């Protein structure tokens, strides 16, 4: 089924460790996003990409890096994890037409930093 | 003033009742509006787009009021399965990517 796939779904890290979250979409969308969701905070944009080879900062980019080497993949990296990065991370891709725009989200990645 | 505001709730509503909630936005240049539904520990999914003339999808009706800068969602004959958090999304609302999310309204349908 077409959609957005995130890996891993769960991960526990120790402070200072690094990791990469992978987002893959098979809908040929140009726009891709990484959000984090925390209780009472709603969805906050970390980084986004408007096409292969391009990335831009969102609302809360500090402590994260991203890459979009291939159109279908958008990677989110944590170089040195901190407890404040404990969160649920959602990737989304966006299909745009003249009349509408639809965000399709991945199932989420739950990250705990101890 | 926050860009997109929603009453967080929770709204506790008996099964079969009608419930409505609003979302206000601050940027008058906003172009497109959406309601997303998010179940507990799941990803958000598009419920419906909101068109200028208002639109209906089964038991769900969405309205846009540009003059007062709010959108609304009405759910008729509510079902237990309607329990979820409803996110208002505004495009062209000033976010870095042009998309701004409300924090959501939590709805609980009670038997």
């Amino acid at each position: 089924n077409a959609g957005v796939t995130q890996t891993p779904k769960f991960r526990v890290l120790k402070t200072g460790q690094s990791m990469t979250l992978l987002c893959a979409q098979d809908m040929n969308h140009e726009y891709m996003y990484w959000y984090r969701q925390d209780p009472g905070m709603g969805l906050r944009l970390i980084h986004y990409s408007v096409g292969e080879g391009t990335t831009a900062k969102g609302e809360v980019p500090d402590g994260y890096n991203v890459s979009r080497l291939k159109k279908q993949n958008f990677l989110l990296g944590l170089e040195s994890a901190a407890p404040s990065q404990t969160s649920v991370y959602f990737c989304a891709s966006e299909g745009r037409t003249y009349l509408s725009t639809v965000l399709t989200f991945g199932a989420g990645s739950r990250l705990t930093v101890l | 003033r926050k860009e997109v505001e929603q009453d967080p709730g929770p709204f506790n509503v008996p099964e079969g009742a009608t419930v409505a909630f609003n979302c206000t936005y601050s940027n008058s240049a906003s172009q497109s509006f959406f309601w997303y539904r998010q179940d507990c520990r799941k990803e958000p999914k598009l419920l419906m787009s909101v068109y200028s003339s208002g639109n209906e999808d089964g038991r769900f009706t969405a309205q846009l009021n540009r003059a007062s800068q709010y959108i609304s969602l009405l759910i008729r004959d509510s079902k237990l399965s309607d329990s979820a958090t409803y996110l208002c999304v505004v495009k062209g609302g000033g976010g870095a990517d042009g998309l701004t999310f409300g924090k959501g309204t939590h709805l609980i349908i009670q038997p």
Side-chain angles (χ1 to χ4, degrees), chain A residues 33 35 37 48 90 94 96 101 103 105-106 110, chain B residues 34 36 38 41-44 91 96-97 101:
Chain A
Y33 307 87
Y35 295 92
Q37 188 173 41
Y48 65 103
F90 287 103
E94 183 181 358
R96 295 187 178 189
T101 180
L103 278 177
F105 286 85
R110 286 185 183 277
Chain B
F34 310 89
Y36 277 72
Q38 186 172 23
R41 302 176 75 85
K42 298 287 189 180
E43 72 273 24
K91 188 176 178 71
D97 57 333
F101 285 80

mmCIF file with all atom_site columns, all heavy atoms in Angstrom, chain A residues 33 35 37 48 90 94 96 101 103 105-106 110, chain B residues 34 36 38 41-44 91 96-97 101:
data_model
loop_
_atom_site.group_PDB
_atom_site.id
_atom_site.type_symbol
_atom_site.label_atom_id
_atom_site.label_alt_id
_atom_site.label_comp_id
_atom_site.label_asym_id
_atom_site.label_entity_id
_atom_site.label_seq_id
_atom_site.pdbx_PDB_ins_code
_atom_site.Cartn_x
_atom_site.Cartn_y
_atom_site.Cartn_z
_atom_site.occupancy
_atom_site.B_iso_or_equiv
_atom_site.pdbx_formal_charge
_atom_site.auth_seq_id
_atom_site.auth_comp_id
_atom_site.auth_asym_id
_atom_site.auth_atom_id
_atom_site.pdbx_PDB_model_num
ATOM 1   N N   . TYR A 1 33  ? 8.323  16.296 5.674  1.00 0.00 ? 33  TYR A N   1
ATOM 2   C CA  . TYR A 1 33  ? 8.414  17.020 6.941  1.00 0.00 ? 33  TYR A CA  1
ATOM 3   C C   . TYR A 1 33  ? 8.773  16.067 8.079  1.00 0.00 ? 33  TYR A C   1
ATOM 4   O O   . TYR A 1 33  ? 8.388  14.895 8.068  1.00 0.00 ? 33  TYR A O   1
ATOM 5   C CB  . TYR A 1 33  ? 7.079  17.671 7.291  1.00 0.00 ? 33  TYR A CB  1
ATOM 6   C CG  . TYR A 1 33  ? 6.490  18.539 6.211  1.00 0.00 ? 33  TYR A CG  1
ATOM 7   C CD1 . TYR A 1 33  ? 5.681  18.004 5.206  1.00 0.00 ? 33  TYR A CD1 1
ATOM 8   C CD2 . TYR A 1 33  ? 6.721  19.907 6.209  1.00 0.00 ? 33  TYR A CD2 1
ATOM 9   C CE1 . TYR A 1 33  ? 5.147  18.797 4.221  1.00 0.00 ? 33  TYR A CE1 1
ATOM 10  C CE2 . TYR A 1 33  ? 6.178  20.718 5.226  1.00 0.00 ? 33  TYR A CE2 1
ATOM 11  C CZ  . TYR A 1 33  ? 5.387  20.163 4.236  1.00 0.00 ? 33  TYR A CZ  1
ATOM 12  O OH  . TYR A 1 33  ? 4.861  20.963 3.266  1.00 0.00 ? 33  TYR A OH  1
ATOM 13  N N   . TYR A 1 35  ? 8.154  16.150 12.237 1.00 0.00 ? 35  TYR A N   1
ATOM 14  C CA  . TYR A 1 35  ? 7.540  16.809 13.380 1.00 0.00 ? 35  TYR A CA  1
ATOM 15  C C   . TYR A 1 35  ? 7.869  16.028 14.632 1.00 0.00 ? 35  TYR A C   1
ATOM 16  O O   . TYR A 1 35  ? 8.105  14.836 14.606 1.00 0.00 ? 35  TYR A O   1
ATOM 17  C CB  . TYR A 1 35  ? 6.018  16.839 13.245 1.00 0.00 ? 35  TYR A CB  1
ATOM 18  C CG  . TYR A 1 35  ? 5.469  17.664 12.102 1.00 0.00 ? 35  TYR A CG  1
ATOM 19  C CD1 . TYR A 1 35  ? 5.215  17.092 10.867 1.00 0.00 ? 35  TYR A CD1 1
ATOM 20  C CD2 . TYR A 1 35  ? 5.184  19.009 12.276 1.00 0.00 ? 35  TYR A CD2 1
ATOM 21  C CE1 . TYR A 1 35  ? 4.690  17.840 9.827  1.00 0.00 ? 35  TYR A CE1 1
ATOM 22  C CE2 . TYR A 1 35  ? 4.662  19.772 11.240 1.00 0.00 ? 35  TYR A CE2 1
ATOM 23  C CZ  . TYR A 1 35  ? 4.415  19.170 10.027 1.00 0.00 ? 35  TYR A CZ  1
ATOM 24  O OH  . TYR A 1 35  ? 3.903  19.916 8.996  1.00 0.00 ? 35  TYR A OH  1
ATOM 25  N N   . GLN A 1 37  ? 5.978  15.478 18.547 1.00 0.00 ? 37  GLN A N   1
ATOM 26  C CA  . GLN A 1 37  ? 4.742  15.723 19.256 1.00 0.00 ? 37  GLN A CA  1
ATOM 27  C C   . GLN A 1 37  ? 4.940  15.387 20.717 1.00 0.00 ? 37  GLN A C   1
ATOM 28  O O   . GLN A 1 37  ? 5.284  14.253 21.057 1.00 0.00 ? 37  GLN A O   1
ATOM 29  C CB  . GLN A 1 37  ? 3.588  14.896 18.672 1.00 0.00 ? 37  GLN A CB  1
ATOM 30  C CG  . GLN A 1 37  ? 2.232  15.267 19.258 1.00 0.00 ? 37  GLN A CG  1
ATOM 31  C CD  . GLN A 1 37  ? 1.095  14.565 18.558 1.00 0.00 ? 37  GLN A CD  1
ATOM 32  O OE1 . GLN A 1 37  ? 1.169  13.387 18.224 1.00 0.00 ? 37  GLN A OE1 1
ATOM 33  N NE2 . GLN A 1 37  ? -0.003 15.285 18.314 1.00 0.00 ? 37  GLN A NE2 1
ATOM 34  N N   . TYR A 1 48  ? 12.119 20.494 7.264  1.00 0.00 ? 48  TYR A N   1
ATOM 35  C CA  . TYR A 1 48  ? 11.322 20.061 6.141  1.00 0.00 ? 48  TYR A CA  1
ATOM 36  C C   . TYR A 1 48  ? 12.145 20.137 4.866  1.00 0.00 ? 48  TYR A C   1
ATOM 37  O O   . TYR A 1 48  ? 13.254 20.687 4.855  1.00 0.00 ? 48  TYR A O   1
ATOM 38  C CB  . TYR A 1 48  ? 10.032 20.875 6.025  1.00 0.00 ? 48  TYR A CB  1
ATOM 39  C CG  . TYR A 1 48  ? 10.204 22.335 5.706  1.00 0.00 ? 48  TYR A CG  1
ATOM 40  C CD1 . TYR A 1 48  ? 9.979  22.825 4.420  1.00 0.00 ? 48  TYR A CD1 1
ATOM 41  C CD2 . TYR A 1 48  ? 10.552 23.250 6.700  1.00 0.00 ? 48  TYR A CD2 1
ATOM 42  C CE1 . TYR A 1 48  ? 10.113 24.171 4.141  1.00 0.00 ? 48  TYR A CE1 1
ATOM 43  C CE2 . TYR A 1 48  ? 10.688 24.591 6.420  1.00 0.00 ? 48  TYR A CE2 1
ATOM 44  C CZ  . TYR A 1 48  ? 10.456 25.045 5.141  1.00 0.00 ? 48  TYR A CZ  1
ATOM 45  O OH  . TYR A 1 48  ? 10.602 26.385 4.865  1.00 0.00 ? 48  TYR A OH  1
ATOM 46  N N   . PHE A 1 90  ? 7.010  12.237 14.048 1.00 0.00 ? 90  PHE A N   1
ATOM 47  C CA  . PHE A 1 90  ? 6.205  11.904 12.884 1.00 0.00 ? 90  PHE A CA  1
ATOM 48  C C   . PHE A 1 90  ? 6.829  12.499 11.629 1.00 0.00 ? 90  PHE A C   1
ATOM 49  O O   . PHE A 1 90  ? 7.194  13.674 11.603 1.00 0.00 ? 90  PHE A O   1
ATOM 50  C CB  . PHE A 1 90  ? 4.785  12.454 13.021 1.00 0.00 ? 90  PHE A CB  1
ATOM 51  C CG  . PHE A 1 90  ? 3.927  11.732 14.003 1.00 0.00 ? 90  PHE A CG  1
ATOM 52  C CD1 . PHE A 1 90  ? 3.672  12.279 15.253 1.00 0.00 ? 90  PHE A CD1 1
ATOM 53  C CD2 . PHE A 1 90  ? 3.361  10.505 13.695 1.00 0.00 ? 90  PHE A CD2 1
ATOM 54  C CE1 . PHE A 1 90  ? 2.874  11.615 16.176 1.00 0.00 ? 90  PHE A CE1 1
ATOM 55  C CE2 . PHE A 1 90  ? 2.560  9.829  14.606 1.00 0.00 ? 90  PHE A CE2 1
ATOM 56  C CZ  . PHE A 1 90  ? 2.324  10.390 15.851 1.00 0.00 ? 90  PHE A CZ  1
ATOM 57  N N   . GLU A 1 94  ? 3.768  15.470 1.562  1.00 0.00 ? 94  GLU A N   1
ATOM 58  C CA  . GLU A 1 94  ? 2.631  16.279 1.131  1.00 0.00 ? 94  GLU A CA  1
ATOM 59  C C   . GLU A 1 94  ? 2.442  16.199 -0.362 1.00 0.00 ? 94  GLU A C   1
ATOM 60  O O   . GLU A 1 94  ? 3.368  16.455 -1.141 1.00 0.00 ? 94  GLU A O   1
ATOM 61  C CB  . GLU A 1 94  ? 2.845  17.735 1.531  1.00 0.00 ? 94  GLU A CB  1
ATOM 62  C CG  . GLU A 1 94  ? 1.672  18.635 1.191  1.00 0.00 ? 94  GLU A CG  1
ATOM 63  C CD  . GLU A 1 94  ? 1.933  20.086 1.571  1.00 0.00 ? 94  GLU A CD  1
ATOM 64  O OE1 . GLU A 1 94  ? 3.005  20.369 2.125  1.00 0.00 ? 94  GLU A OE1 1
ATOM 65  O OE2 . GLU A 1 94  ? 1.067  20.929 1.292  1.00 0.00 ? 94  GLU A OE2 1
ATOM 66  N N   . ARG A 1 96  ? 0.553  17.886 -3.406 1.00 0.00 ? 96  ARG A N   1
ATOM 67  C CA  . ARG A 1 96  ? -0.106 19.151 -3.725 1.00 0.00 ? 96  ARG A CA  1
ATOM 68  C C   . ARG A 1 96  ? -0.686 19.114 -5.133 1.00 0.00 ? 96  ARG A C   1
ATOM 69  O O   . ARG A 1 96  ? -0.018 18.702 -6.079 1.00 0.00 ? 96  ARG A O   1
ATOM 70  C CB  . ARG A 1 96  ? 0.893  20.309 -3.630 1.00 0.00 ? 96  ARG A CB  1
ATOM 71  C CG  . ARG A 1 96  ? 1.413  20.552 -2.236 1.00 0.00 ? 96  ARG A CG  1
ATOM 72  C CD  . ARG A 1 96  ? 2.259  21.803 -2.165 1.00 0.00 ? 96  ARG A CD  1
ATOM 73  N NE  . ARG A 1 96  ? 2.721  22.052 -0.805 1.00 0.00 ? 96  ARG A NE  1
ATOM 74  C CZ  . ARG A 1 96  ? 3.331  23.161 -0.397 1.00 0.00 ? 96  ARG A CZ  1
ATOM 75  N NH1 . ARG A 1 96  ? 3.564  24.126 -1.271 1.00 0.00 ? 96  ARG A NH1 1
ATOM 76  N NH2 . ARG A 1 96  ? 3.713  23.307 0.851  1.00 0.00 ? 96  ARG A NH2 1
ATOM 77  N N   . THR A 1 101 ? -4.250 20.105 -0.956 1.00 0.00 ? 101 THR A N   1
ATOM 78  C CA  . THR A 1 101 ? -2.987 19.599 -0.451 1.00 0.00 ? 101 THR A CA  1
ATOM 79  C C   . THR A 1 101 ? -3.325 18.596 0.643  1.00 0.00 ? 101 THR A C   1
ATOM 80  O O   . THR A 1 101 ? -4.227 18.840 1.449  1.00 0.00 ? 101 THR A O   1
ATOM 81  C CB  . THR A 1 101 ? -2.108 20.743 0.077  1.00 0.00 ? 101 THR A CB  1
ATOM 82  O OG1 . THR A 1 101 ? -0.878 20.202 0.551  1.00 0.00 ? 101 THR A OG1 1
ATOM 83  C CG2 . THR A 1 101 ? -2.786 21.491 1.199  1.00 0.00 ? 101 THR A CG2 1
ATOM 84  N N   . LEU A 1 103 ? -1.567 16.001 3.573  1.00 0.00 ? 103 LEU A N   1
ATOM 85  C CA  . LEU A 1 103 ? -0.437 15.460 4.314  1.00 0.00 ? 103 LEU A CA  1
ATOM 86  C C   . LEU A 1 103 ? -0.708 14.007 4.653  1.00 0.00 ? 103 LEU A C   1
ATOM 87  O O   . LEU A 1 103 ? -1.778 13.687 5.174  1.00 0.00 ? 103 LEU A O   1
ATOM 88  C CB  . LEU A 1 103 ? -0.231 16.226 5.616  1.00 0.00 ? 103 LEU A CB  1
ATOM 89  C CG  . LEU A 1 103 ? 0.525  17.533 5.609  1.00 0.00 ? 103 LEU A CG  1
ATOM 90  C CD1 . LEU A 1 103 ? 0.522  18.123 7.000  1.00 0.00 ? 103 LEU A CD1 1
ATOM 91  C CD2 . LEU A 1 103 ? 1.952  17.344 5.135  1.00 0.00 ? 103 LEU A CD2 1
ATOM 92  N N   . PHE A 1 105 ? 0.890  11.048 6.978  1.00 0.00 ? 105 PHE A N   1
ATOM 93  C CA  . PHE A 1 105 ? 1.843  10.844 8.057  1.00 0.00 ? 105 PHE A CA  1
ATOM 94  C C   . PHE A 1 105 ? 2.281  9.386  8.144  1.00 0.00 ? 105 PHE A C   1
ATOM 95  O O   . PHE A 1 105 ? 1.510  8.464  7.829  1.00 0.00 ? 105 PHE A O   1
ATOM 96  C CB  . PHE A 1 105 ? 1.218  11.231 9.402  1.00 0.00 ? 105 PHE A CB  1
ATOM 97  C CG  . PHE A 1 105 ? 1.091  12.705 9.613  1.00 0.00 ? 105 PHE A CG  1
ATOM 98  C CD1 . PHE A 1 105 ? 0.002  13.407 9.130  1.00 0.00 ? 105 PHE A CD1 1
ATOM 99  C CD2 . PHE A 1 105 ? 2.064  13.397 10.316 1.00 0.00 ? 105 PHE A CD2 1
ATOM 100 C CE1 . PHE A 1 105 ? -0.122 14.769 9.321  1.00 0.00 ? 105 PHE A CE1 1
ATOM 101 C CE2 . PHE A 1 105 ? 1.960  14.771 10.522 1.00 0.00 ? 105 PHE A CE2 1
ATOM 102 C CZ  . PHE A 1 105 ? 0.868  15.461 10.020 1.00 0.00 ? 105 PHE A CZ  1
ATOM 103 N N   . GLY A 1 106 ? 3.502  9.207  8.611  1.00 0.00 ? 106 GLY A N   1
ATOM 104 C CA  . GLY A 1 106 ? 3.943  7.877  9.010  1.00 0.00 ? 106 GLY A CA  1
ATOM 105 C C   . GLY A 1 106 ? 3.351  7.536  10.366 1.00 0.00 ? 106 GLY A C   1
ATOM 106 O O   . GLY A 1 106 ? 2.738  8.388  11.025 1.00 0.00 ? 106 GLY A O   1
ATOM 107 N N   . ARG A 1 110 ? 8.666  6.361  18.414 1.00 0.00 ? 110 ARG A N   1
ATOM 108 C CA  . ARG A 1 110 ? 8.737  6.766  19.828 1.00 0.00 ? 110 ARG A CA  1
ATOM 109 C C   . ARG A 1 110 ? 10.175 6.661  20.301 1.00 0.00 ? 110 ARG A C   1
ATOM 110 O O   . ARG A 1 110 ? 10.734 5.568  20.322 1.00 0.00 ? 110 ARG A O   1
ATOM 111 C CB  . ARG A 1 110 ? 7.854  5.874  20.690 1.00 0.00 ? 110 ARG A CB  1
ATOM 112 C CG  . ARG A 1 110 ? 6.417  6.147  20.530 1.00 0.00 ? 110 ARG A CG  1
ATOM 113 C CD  . ARG A 1 110 ? 5.545  5.348  21.467 1.00 0.00 ? 110 ARG A CD  1
ATOM 114 N NE  . ARG A 1 110 ? 4.169  5.667  21.142 1.00 0.00 ? 110 ARG A NE  1
ATOM 115 C CZ  . ARG A 1 110 ? 3.545  6.726  21.611 1.00 0.00 ? 110 ARG A CZ  1
ATOM 116 N NH1 . ARG A 1 110 ? 4.138  7.517  22.455 1.00 0.00 ? 110 ARG A NH1 1
ATOM 117 N NH2 . ARG A 1 110 ? 2.298  6.969  21.248 1.00 0.00 ? 110 ARG A NH2 1
ATOM 118 N N   . PHE B 2 34  ? -7.993 22.674 7.013  1.00 0.00 ? 34  PHE B N   1
ATOM 119 C CA  . PHE B 2 34  ? -8.234 21.240 7.076  1.00 0.00 ? 34  PHE B CA  1
ATOM 120 C C   . PHE B 2 34  ? -8.538 20.821 8.498  1.00 0.00 ? 34  PHE B C   1
ATOM 121 O O   . PHE B 2 34  ? -8.077 21.453 9.456  1.00 0.00 ? 34  PHE B O   1
ATOM 122 C CB  . PHE B 2 34  ? -6.977 20.470 6.604  1.00 0.00 ? 34  PHE B CB  1
ATOM 123 C CG  . PHE B 2 34  ? -6.417 20.953 5.300  1.00 0.00 ? 34  PHE B CG  1
ATOM 124 C CD1 . PHE B 2 34  ? -5.474 21.965 5.270  1.00 0.00 ? 34  PHE B CD1 1
ATOM 125 C CD2 . PHE B 2 34  ? -6.835 20.395 4.105  1.00 0.00 ? 34  PHE B CD2 1
ATOM 126 C CE1 . PHE B 2 34  ? -4.953 22.425 4.069  1.00 0.00 ? 34  PHE B CE1 1
ATOM 127 C CE2 . PHE B 2 34  ? -6.316 20.841 2.898  1.00 0.00 ? 34  PHE B CE2 1
ATOM 128 C CZ  . PHE B 2 34  ? -5.379 21.855 2.889  1.00 0.00 ? 34  PHE B CZ  1
ATOM 129 N N   . TYR B 2 36  ? -7.858 17.375 10.725 1.00 0.00 ? 36  TYR B N   1
ATOM 130 C CA  . TYR B 2 36  ? -7.240 16.068 10.827 1.00 0.00 ? 36  TYR B CA  1
ATOM 131 C C   . TYR B 2 36  ? -7.727 15.407 12.110 1.00 0.00 ? 36  TYR B C   1
ATOM 132 O O   . TYR B 2 36  ? -8.015 16.069 13.097 1.00 0.00 ? 36  TYR B O   1
ATOM 133 C CB  . TYR B 2 36  ? -5.704 16.178 10.871 1.00 0.00 ? 36  TYR B CB  1
ATOM 134 C CG  . TYR B 2 36  ? -5.062 16.307 9.507  1.00 0.00 ? 36  TYR B CG  1
ATOM 135 C CD1 . TYR B 2 36  ? -5.179 17.480 8.780  1.00 0.00 ? 36  TYR B CD1 1
ATOM 136 C CD2 . TYR B 2 36  ? -4.344 15.254 8.946  1.00 0.00 ? 36  TYR B CD2 1
ATOM 137 C CE1 . TYR B 2 36  ? -4.611 17.599 7.521  1.00 0.00 ? 36  TYR B CE1 1
ATOM 138 C CE2 . TYR B 2 36  ? -3.767 15.363 7.697  1.00 0.00 ? 36  TYR B CE2 1
ATOM 139 C CZ  . TYR B 2 36  ? -3.908 16.541 6.986  1.00 0.00 ? 36  TYR B CZ  1
ATOM 140 O OH  . TYR B 2 36  ? -3.336 16.650 5.742  1.00 0.00 ? 36  TYR B OH  1
ATOM 141 N N   . GLN B 2 38  ? -6.746 12.487 15.018 1.00 0.00 ? 38  GLN B N   1
ATOM 142 C CA  . GLN B 2 38  ? -5.644 11.695 15.553 1.00 0.00 ? 38  GLN B CA  1
ATOM 143 C C   . GLN B 2 38  ? -6.162 10.824 16.691 1.00 0.00 ? 38  GLN B C   1
ATOM 144 O O   . GLN B 2 38  ? -6.640 11.329 17.713 1.00 0.00 ? 38  GLN B O   1
ATOM 145 C CB  . GLN B 2 38  ? -4.501 12.575 16.063 1.00 0.00 ? 38  GLN B CB  1
ATOM 146 C CG  . GLN B 2 38  ? -3.283 11.779 16.494 1.00 0.00 ? 38  GLN B CG  1
ATOM 147 C CD  . GLN B 2 38  ? -2.083 12.636 16.826 1.00 0.00 ? 38  GLN B CD  1
ATOM 148 O OE1 . GLN B 2 38  ? -2.212 13.821 17.145 1.00 0.00 ? 38  GLN B OE1 1
ATOM 149 N NE2 . GLN B 2 38  ? -0.880 12.063 16.745 1.00 0.00 ? 38  GLN B NE2 1
ATOM 150 N N   . ARG B 2 41  ? -2.155 7.565  20.337 1.00 0.00 ? 41  ARG B N   1
ATOM 151 C CA  . ARG B 2 41  ? -0.917 6.876  19.987 1.00 0.00 ? 41  ARG B CA  1
ATOM 152 C C   . ARG B 2 41  ? -0.857 6.496  18.498 1.00 0.00 ? 41  ARG B C   1
ATOM 153 O O   . ARG B 2 41  ? -0.136 5.557  18.124 1.00 0.00 ? 41  ARG B O   1
ATOM 154 C CB  . ARG B 2 41  ? -0.721 5.643  20.864 1.00 0.00 ? 41  ARG B CB  1
ATOM 155 C CG  . ARG B 2 41  ? -0.694 5.981  22.355 1.00 0.00 ? 41  ARG B CG  1
ATOM 156 C CD  . ARG B 2 41  ? -0.595 4.736  23.211 1.00 0.00 ? 41  ARG B CD  1
ATOM 157 N NE  . ARG B 2 41  ? 0.745  4.156  23.206 1.00 0.00 ? 41  ARG B NE  1
ATOM 158 C CZ  . ARG B 2 41  ? 1.716  4.564  24.023 1.00 0.00 ? 41  ARG B CZ  1
ATOM 159 N NH1 . ARG B 2 41  ? 1.503  5.528  24.876 1.00 0.00 ? 41  ARG B NH1 1
ATOM 160 N NH2 . ARG B 2 41  ? 2.911  3.994  23.983 1.00 0.00 ? 41  ARG B NH2 1
ATOM 161 N N   . LYS B 2 42  ? -1.601 7.216  17.684 1.00 0.00 ? 42  LYS B N   1
ATOM 162 C CA  . LYS B 2 42  ? -1.565 6.987  16.239 1.00 0.00 ? 42  LYS B CA  1
ATOM 163 C C   . LYS B 2 42  ? -1.182 8.274  15.520 1.00 0.00 ? 42  LYS B C   1
ATOM 164 O O   . LYS B 2 42  ? -1.083 9.336  16.132 1.00 0.00 ? 42  LYS B O   1
ATOM 165 C CB  . LYS B 2 42  ? -2.943 6.525  15.747 1.00 0.00 ? 42  LYS B CB  1
ATOM 166 C CG  . LYS B 2 42  ? -3.415 5.215  16.348 1.00 0.00 ? 42  LYS B CG  1
ATOM 167 C CD  . LYS B 2 42  ? -2.661 4.051  15.783 1.00 0.00 ? 42  LYS B CD  1
ATOM 168 C CE  . LYS B 2 42  ? -3.288 2.734  16.232 1.00 0.00 ? 42  LYS B CE  1
ATOM 169 N NZ  . LYS B 2 42  ? -2.553 1.571  15.667 1.00 0.00 ? 42  LYS B NZ  1
ATOM 170 N N   . GLU B 2 43  ? -0.987 8.158  14.208 1.00 0.00 ? 43  GLU B N   1
ATOM 171 C CA  . GLU B 2 43  ? -0.643 9.338  13.433 1.00 0.00 ? 43  GLU B CA  1
ATOM 172 C C   . GLU B 2 43  ? -1.895 10.124 13.042 1.00 0.00 ? 43  GLU B C   1
ATOM 173 O O   . GLU B 2 43  ? -2.981 9.569  12.935 1.00 0.00 ? 43  GLU B O   1
ATOM 174 C CB  . GLU B 2 43  ? 0.138  8.941  12.161 1.00 0.00 ? 43  GLU B CB  1
ATOM 175 C CG  . GLU B 2 43  ? -0.694 8.267  11.076 1.00 0.00 ? 43  GLU B CG  1
ATOM 176 C CD  . GLU B 2 43  ? -0.809 6.773  11.254 1.00 0.00 ? 43  GLU B CD  1
ATOM 177 O OE1 . GLU B 2 43  ? -0.663 6.272  12.389 1.00 0.00 ? 43  GLU B OE1 1
ATOM 178 O OE2 . GLU B 2 43  ? -1.048 6.106  10.233 1.00 0.00 ? 43  GLU B OE2 1
ATOM 179 N N   . PRO B 2 44  ? -1.758 11.425 12.804 1.00 0.00 ? 44  PRO B N   1
ATOM 180 C CA  . PRO B 2 44  ? -2.897 12.208 12.299 1.00 0.00 ? 44  PRO B CA  1
ATOM 181 C C   . PRO B 2 44  ? -3.284 11.745 10.893 1.00 0.00 ? 44  PRO B C   1
ATOM 182 O O   . PRO B 2 44  ? -2.435 11.394 10.085 1.00 0.00 ? 44  PRO B O   1
ATOM 183 C CB  . PRO B 2 44  ? -2.349 13.641 12.261 1.00 0.00 ? 44  PRO B CB  1
ATOM 184 C CG  . PRO B 2 44  ? -1.156 13.640 13.150 1.00 0.00 ? 44  PRO B CG  1
ATOM 185 C CD  . PRO B 2 44  ? -0.567 12.271 13.036 1.00 0.00 ? 44  PRO B CD  1
ATOM 186 N N   . LYS B 2 91  ? -3.188 26.411 6.158  1.00 0.00 ? 91  LYS B N   1
ATOM 187 C CA  . LYS B 2 91  ? -2.105 26.580 5.195  1.00 0.00 ? 91  LYS B CA  1
ATOM 188 C C   . LYS B 2 91  ? -2.015 28.039 4.807  1.00 0.00 ? 91  LYS B C   1
ATOM 189 O O   . LYS B 2 91  ? -3.027 28.679 4.547  1.00 0.00 ? 91  LYS B O   1
ATOM 190 C CB  . LYS B 2 91  ? -2.359 25.724 3.957  1.00 0.00 ? 91  LYS B CB  1
ATOM 191 C CG  . LYS B 2 91  ? -1.197 25.673 2.974  1.00 0.00 ? 91  LYS B CG  1
ATOM 192 C CD  . LYS B 2 91  ? -1.534 24.711 1.844  1.00 0.00 ? 91  LYS B CD  1
ATOM 193 C CE  . LYS B 2 91  ? -0.430 24.675 0.814  1.00 0.00 ? 91  LYS B CE  1
ATOM 194 N NZ  . LYS B 2 91  ? 0.761  23.995 1.338  1.00 0.00 ? 91  LYS B NZ  1
ATOM 195 N N   . ALA B 2 96  ? 6.790  27.999 9.037  1.00 0.00 ? 96  ALA B N   1
ATOM 196 C CA  . ALA B 2 96  ? 7.960  27.989 8.163  1.00 0.00 ? 96  ALA B CA  1
ATOM 197 C C   . ALA B 2 96  ? 7.671  27.302 6.837  1.00 0.00 ? 96  ALA B C   1
ATOM 198 O O   . ALA B 2 96  ? 8.191  27.656 5.798  1.00 0.00 ? 96  ALA B O   1
ATOM 199 C CB  . ALA B 2 96  ? 9.121  27.296 8.873  1.00 0.00 ? 96  ALA B CB  1
ATOM 200 N N   . ASP B 2 97  ? 6.831  26.307 6.871  1.00 0.00 ? 97  ASP B N   1
ATOM 201 C CA  . ASP B 2 97  ? 6.492  25.545 5.691  1.00 0.00 ? 97  ASP B CA  1
ATOM 202 C C   . ASP B 2 97  ? 5.136  25.954 5.138  1.00 0.00 ? 97  ASP B C   1
ATOM 203 O O   . ASP B 2 97  ? 4.654  25.366 4.189  1.00 0.00 ? 97  ASP B O   1
ATOM 204 C CB  . ASP B 2 97  ? 6.444  24.064 6.043  1.00 0.00 ? 97  ASP B CB  1
ATOM 205 C CG  . ASP B 2 97  ? 5.452  23.799 7.160  1.00 0.00 ? 97  ASP B CG  1
ATOM 206 O OD1 . ASP B 2 97  ? 5.210  24.702 7.978  1.00 0.00 ? 97  ASP B OD1 1
ATOM 207 O OD2 . ASP B 2 97  ? 4.910  22.700 7.205  1.00 0.00 ? 97  ASP B OD2 1
ATOM 208 N N   . PHE B 2 101 ? -0.352 23.957 12.648 1.00 0.00 ? 101 PHE B N   1
ATOM 209 C CA  . PHE B 2 101 ? -1.257 23.039 13.323 1.00 0.00 ? 101 PHE B CA  1
ATOM 210 C C   . PHE B 2 101 ? -1.770 23.648 14.616 1.00 0.00 ? 101 PHE B C   1
ATOM 211 O O   . PHE B 2 101 ? -1.013 24.269 15.368 1.00 0.00 ? 101 PHE B O   1
ATOM 212 C CB  . PHE B 2 101 ? -0.523 21.747 13.694 1.00 0.00 ? 101 PHE B CB  1
ATOM 213 C CG  . PHE B 2 101 ? -0.272 20.825 12.542 1.00 0.00 ? 101 PHE B CG  1
ATOM 214 C CD1 . PHE B 2 101 ? 0.776  21.049 11.677 1.00 0.00 ? 101 PHE B CD1 1
ATOM 215 C CD2 . PHE B 2 101 ? -1.087 19.728 12.334 1.00 0.00 ? 101 PHE B CD2 1
ATOM 216 C CE1 . PHE B 2 101 ? 1.020  20.197 10.613 1.00 0.00 ? 101 PHE B CE1 1
ATOM 217 C CE2 . PHE B 2 101 ? -0.859 18.867 11.276 1.00 0.00 ? 101 PHE B CE2 1
ATOM 218 C CZ  . PHE B 2 101 ? 0.198  19.105 10.417 1.00 0.00 ? 101 PHE B CZ  1
#
